[in-house]
Amino acid sequence: GGPLAVPVGPRAAGEDGGGVSGLLRRLGRVEDSRQRAAELFRWMLAPVAPSEFLGQHWERAPLLVRRGDPGYYAGLFSTADLDAALRGGEVHFGTHLDVTSYADGVRETHNPSGRALPPVVWDFYQNGCSLRLLCPQAFSPTVWHFLFILQEQFGSMVGANTYLTPPGTQGFAPHYDDIEAFVLQLEGKKHWRVYSPRTDAEVLPQLSSANLTQAELGEPVLETVLEAGDLLYFPRGFIHQGDCLPDAHSLHITVSSYQRNSWGDFLEKLLPAALQMALEEDVEYRRGLPMDYLGYMGVTNSDAVDARRTAFMEKVQSLIKRLVDYAPIDAAVDQMAKSFLHDCLPPVLTQSEKAQSIYGFPARWQDGGPHNVDIQITKDTEIRLLCHGIVRLCNEGAGVMLYYTTENSRVYHKEEPKFLELDPEYIDGVEFLLSSYPNHVSVGNLPCETLEEKISLATLLFEKGILTTKKPLVQV
């Protein structure tokens, strides 16, 4: 997007206040969710520009940002928030919270079963164990809001873990991950060592490593002490370990993205679909293999000089090359998008968005009966998508599906993917809403045949929380 109309620096003055809460309030006034995501990404990396980060560090090399501003992340998450989550009664060992230690080269998990009660958890901590909260977005509205905005920047699931480590201890063995990691130091300080991938096979790996020993590591490419307000980024495949200094505890949040979001992962979706289409449309793929091919192909015969082997290899190469002609590339992209939408956090609404959506609709029981139940959308009602990234149209065997995120859970995949099967007469209307965003359009201008269809599409999407109206439908 273009330049931002409202200041989003960490210390912008005015009614919003500082810290993360003020930042999120300011971002709430940005009309376009894509621009909101870009601004939050810029704030997370500042003073390093996103273009510099993407050009020099992303998937390539670690980045350390020292800010000398302990309050930069104020309000995002704190040990008090962790304590409040424990007292809320919903945190369970293993599911939400891991108790870990790493001493004398041995990494251990000490999870009891059942609910994580504060006296038990704090006793573990007092005895030198680290606490990892696996899904802070489920317990912290601020972390949820932060990740919800950011996921549109990456087009890939954005998750988080928080790590609380007692002074003078280490909670985890050295290892590498399968995600791009942004470590935001919230409280205290932590000593970090980061090491380059050891082999070509460990560059941008698909899977995380097992626990590694110090003997396997070599020399770090980066060694530093992160203090509150600082940021450390490292790509997947970079081995890392963090330990606490004797004089301070550490609380950090790791924001992660790009798990299984590579070209290879895309081709895993594309190639089977391409082969299916080739089998349906091209007889060459359906012709039988040579009757005697087992006699001259296979590892046993790999050293043999045989014209039949050469012909077989050439045939395979030509069939693979021709597969490109059958590759449904856009459909495979939509399948990636569909997976992403299932991974997404549900939307966090500003007060005005809530008032203009189904979530703020004032239907209620009053004076012996329900009031304000009817959703009165007319041809003059002005509407728009709540956010750009909350829906995706996908062509599937049965028809056109509209996947959406508004009914997702704050806990990863707690809900099945949510979708509507769209009648053909509604498809142009949804595409029109996507291309019009972030502007409002009148219901009467939707490209459906009849006014009844226009109103019925708008009502359907409004009831799913996908649309907001320019003005509340009922003036309360």
Side-chain angles (χ1 to χ4, degrees):
L4 192 57
V6 291
V8 298
R11 292 289 180 273
E15 76 236 36
D16 294 319
V20 171
S21 302
L23 168 73
L24 294 174
R25 277 194 291 275
R26 291 191 292 282
L27 290 175
R29 294 202 294 275
V30 178
E31 283 293 304
D32 190 329
S33 59
R34 295 164 294 190
Q35 197 177 340
R36 222 180 279 176
E39 286 301 330
L40 182 51
F41 186 54
R42 182 172 298 149
W43 176 89
M44 190 167 79
L45 296 170
V48 176
S51 56
E52 181 190 333
F53 169 75
L54 293 169
Q56 296 177 23
H57 296 277
W58 176 250
E59 292 192 328
R60 288 187 184 87
L63 169 70
L64 171 65
V65 178
R66 290 194 186 290
R67 295 205 174 94
D69 181 358
Y72 195 80
Y73 304 124
L76 178 57
F77 194 81
S78 66
T79 38
D81 293 330
L82 175 57
D83 188 59
L86 295 174
R87 291 175 187 289
E90 297 297 317
V91 180
H92 286 74
F93 288 114
T95 313
H96 311 115
L97 187 77
D98 282 332
V99 178
T100 70
S101 64
Y102 177 73
D104 303 323
V106 179
R107 151 88 162 82
E108 291 185 274
T109 301
H110 307 277
N111 292 342
S113 58
R115 185 182 150 192
L117 292 159
V120 179
V121 173
W122 293 124
D123 184 56
F124 273 123
Y125 176 81
Q126 196 167 280
N127 283 298
C129 291
S130 289
L131 307 175
R132 171 170 64 178
L133 188 62
L134 295 164
C135 190
Q137 58 272 28
F139 306 101
S140 161
T142 311
V143 174
W144 170 24
H145 197 171
F146 191 89
L147 301 180
F148 161 69
I149 293 176
L150 208 51
Q151 66 194 7
E152 206 162 329
Q153 170 68 26
F154 289 98
S156 169
M157 179 190 158
V158 177
N161 289 335
T162 64
Y163 298 82
L164 179 65
T165 311
T169 69
Q170 180 168 333
F172 292 87
H175 65 281
Y176 61 75
D177 291 314
D178 58 349
I179 44 97
E180 300 299 298
F182 298 85
V183 175
L184 283 56
Q185 187 70 27
L186 304 175
E187 294 175 10
K189 51 190 177 180
K190 197 167 210 179
H191 169 233
W192 282 90
R193 284 166 287 176
V194 181
Y195 309 79
S196 288
R198 298 168 301 172
T199 64
D200 287 349
E202 289 182 2
V203 175
L204 304 177
Q206 272 197 304
L207 300 171
S208 298
S209 74
N211 293 330
L212 303 170
T213 63
Q214 294 298 143
E216 295 176 273
L217 300 186
E219 290 301 306
V221 287
L222 187 152
E223 182 164 9
T224 188
V225 174
L226 273 198
E227 303 200 9
D230 293 347
L231 170 113
L232 174 62
Y233 158 81
F234 42 85
R236 53 198 194 276
F238 275 74
I239 299 163
H240 52 278
Q241 58 180 329
D243 59 277
C244 266
L245 303 171
D247 60 337
H249 79 284
S250 165
L251 178 70
H252 76 263
I253 186 167
T254 299
V255 175
S256 62
S257 191
Y258 261 60
Q259 188 177 47
R260 302 303 301 264
N261 201 44
S262 68
W263 284 104
D265 295 301
F266 170 64
L267 289 173
E268 279 184 353
K269 290 205 175 346
L270 178 65
L271 293 179
L275 188 54
Q276 192 56 46
M277 290 187 78
L279 280 163
E280 285 171 19
E281 295 181 21
D282 188 336
V283 71
E284 287 306 308
Y285 291 85
R286 302 196 299 272
R287 291 194 194 284
L289 289 158
M291 266 184 205
D292 56 350
Y293 82 103
L294 295 178
Y296 55 84
M297 297 306 299
V299 176
T300 316
N301 304 301
S302 56
D303 293 332
V305 179
D306 189 321
R308 295 171 302 169
R309 279 185 65 80
T310 311
F312 193 96
M313 295 292 198
E314 284 171 356
K315 179 68 175 176
V316 171
Q317 284 171 4
S318 91
L319 289 172
I320 289 174
K321 279 180 190 155
R322 279 168 71 167
L323 263 189
V324 176
D325 301 335
Y326 300 99
I329 294 171
D330 285 318
V333 168
D334 286 339
Q335 291 306 306
M336 293 290 284
K338 169 180 149 182
S339 296
F340 168 48
L341 259 66
H342 187 208
D343 294 343
C344 275
L345 284 163
V348 178
L349 279 69
T350 63
Q351 285 306 109
S352 65
E353 285 170 341
K354 188 174 177 185
Q356 292 148 8
S357 77
I358 190 78
Y359 302 110
F361 200 76
R364 65 195 183 283
W365 181 272
Q366 188 183 352
D367 302 330
H371 280 246
N372 290 332
V373 176
D374 295 333
I375 294 171
Q376 300 286 2
I377 289 177
T378 69
K379 69 175 174 43
D380 299 318
T381 306
E382 292 186 82
I383 56 173
R384 67 166 225 175
L385 294 173
L386 171 64
C387 297
H388 188 267
I390 62 169
V391 293
R392 187 77 185 194
L393 278 170
C394 293
N395 260 321
E396 294 187 357
V400 177
M401 307 296 176
L402 182 70
Y403 286 86
Y404 59 95
T405 66
T406 53
E407 293 172 18
N408 283 4
S409 165
R410 286 159 70 175
V411 175
Y412 178 70
H413 286 194
K414 191 175 173 184
E415 297 287 332
E416 291 298 312
K418 304 296 178 190
F419 61 89
L420 297 164
E421 188 169 350
L422 281 190
D423 294 336
E425 60 268 23
Y426 290 156
I427 293 164
D428 289 349
V430 173
E431 287 178 342
F432 180 68
L433 286 165
L434 272 163
S435 61
S436 305
Y437 182 86
N439 301 316
H440 287 85
V441 295
S442 297
V443 170
N445 286 336
L446 288 174
C448 304
E449 297 258 322
T450 66
L451 179 58
E452 187 186 358
E453 283 173 5
K454 297 176 192 204
I455 290 173
S456 125
L457 173 61
T459 306
L460 173 71
L461 299 180
F462 184 81
E463 286 176 346
K464 289 291 180 191
I466 294 165
L467 286 188
T468 58
T469 53
K470 194 165 190 178
K471 299 192 185 98
L473 286 178
V474 179
Q475 301 301 327
V476 185

